Amino acid sequence: MLPDFMMTDTVYHLSISKNIVETGTLPLQSEELGITNLFPALFHVFIASNSILTGIAINPASTTIFAVLISLLQLLVTVILLRELFPKSWEYGAAFFTMLPLLTKFAGVNYPETLASLFVVVSFYFYVRFNKTSELKYLLIAPFSLAAMALTKLNATILLPAFVIFFTYSAWKKKTNLKSIALFIIITALLSGAWFALEFTRAGSVIASN
């Protein structure tokens, strides 16, 4: 049984996702749904797309399966990341990770944090691989996971500047072509910033709750 605040949030997110399925559009503003600002909506689009593709109705039970699958995928990526960082003792980190509240408490709850955390781990994996191999493909694919992170949960956007600084500094140390570094920054800014620029243009603010 979920606490009241969790159930309220779950119903809020599921209502937005159901609205996307029923109307075929993203509710940018709705008093009925309690939406007063644009919000990072990738989580809701994922839930709606899953329902459309599988034909399974959106409800707390069905979307819990989605949350569990995302959490398992996050665990898999974390194990791969830990094996990169600590090839001789990755099992300890993996065991510790499985005890974190994000997995033990929220894995079955329909919160955007679950999906946002996956993109955070994926972005960190790309950073580690770029740092180790200097392969440009990791630098140029990272903007997509970073944008997905920012467009899933507003709070996750706080991590965006840090990732950009880490990638840029690492690329500069490796004497990476300046055009490639500039391309990384520009793609990241365009993909991550378009949504928030739209909200700022519409309401003069980028503060929204999700």
Side-chain angles (χ1 to χ4, degrees), residues 172-207:
W172 177 75
K173 278 188 64 178
K174 294 176 182 296
K175 302 186 186 304
T176 303
N177 186 292
L178 289 178
K179 288 184 179 179
S180 298
I181 297 176
L183 188 60
F184 161 74
I185 295 173
I186 292 171
I187 294 175
T188 302
L190 289 176
L191 292 177
S192 305
W195 183 271
F196 301 103
L198 177 61
E199 169 64 355
F200 184 80
T201 301
R202 187 186 70 86
S205 170
V206 294
I207 303 299

Side-chain angles (χ1 to χ4, degrees), residues 49-190:
S49 300
N50 180 61
S51 176
I52 293 171
L53 292 174
T54 62
I56 300 175
I58 295 177
N59 56 59
S62 65
T63 50
T64 292
I65 298 174
F66 174 82
V68 170
L69 290 176
I70 291 299
S71 295
L72 290 175
L73 183 58
Q74 181 185 349
L75 179 59
L76 174 62
V77 176
T78 300
V79 168
I80 295 173
L81 174 61
L82 288 171
R83 293 188 69 170
E84 283 284 336
L85 293 172
F86 314 107
K88 294 184 178 180
S89 56
W90 62 269
E91 301 95 335
Y92 299 108
F96 178 77
F97 182 77
T98 59
M99 297 184 292
L100 294 179
L102 189 62
L103 283 181
T104 58
K105 188 174 182 179
F106 294 108
V109 181
N110 303 296
Y111 271 16
E113 283 86 348
T114 306
L115 188 60
S117 297
L118 171 63
F119 292 128
V120 170
V121 175
V122 170
S123 298
F124 191 44
Y125 172 75
F126 289 151
Y127 171 71
V128 170
R129 289 298 298 165
F130 176 67
N131 226 14
K132 279 192 171 186
T133 67
S134 300
E135 293 183 30
L136 281 180
K137 63 180 180 181
Y138 294 112
L139 181 67
L140 298 180
I141 200 174
F144 296 94
S145 62
L146 292 174
M149 173 189 75
L151 295 178
T152 300
K153 181 68 181 177
L154 185 64
N155 295 350
T157 310
I158 297 172
L159 299 174
L160 189 61
F163 270 114
V164 171
I165 291 171
F166 291 153
F167 270 103
T168 303
Y169 179 69
S170 180
W172 177 75
K173 278 188 64 178
K174 294 176 182 296
K175 302 186 186 304
T176 303
N177 186 292
L178 289 178
K179 288 184 179 179
S180 298
I181 297 176
L183 188 60
F184 161 74
I185 295 173
I186 292 171
I187 294 175
T188 302
L190 289 176

Side-chain angles (χ1 to χ4, degrees), residues 6-28:
M6 283 190 178
M7 182 58 73
T8 300
D9 284 352
T10 296
V11 171
Y12 168 74
H13 294 304
L14 294 188
S15 296
I16 295 174
S17 300
K18 288 176 71 174
N19 185 271
I20 295 173
V21 174
E22 292 168 358
T23 65
T25 59
L26 189 64
L28 301 181

Side-chain angles (χ1 to χ4, degrees), residues 25-62:
T25 59
L26 189 64
L28 301 181
Q29 195 167 7
S30 170
E31 290 186 8
E32 181 182 350
L33 297 174
I35 302 171
T36 56
N37 299 83
L38 290 178
F39 55 94
L42 191 57
F43 171 79
H44 307 93
V45 172
F46 261 65
I47 293 290
S49 300
N50 180 61
S51 176
I52 293 171
L53 292 174
T54 62
I56 300 175
I58 295 177
N59 56 59
S62 65

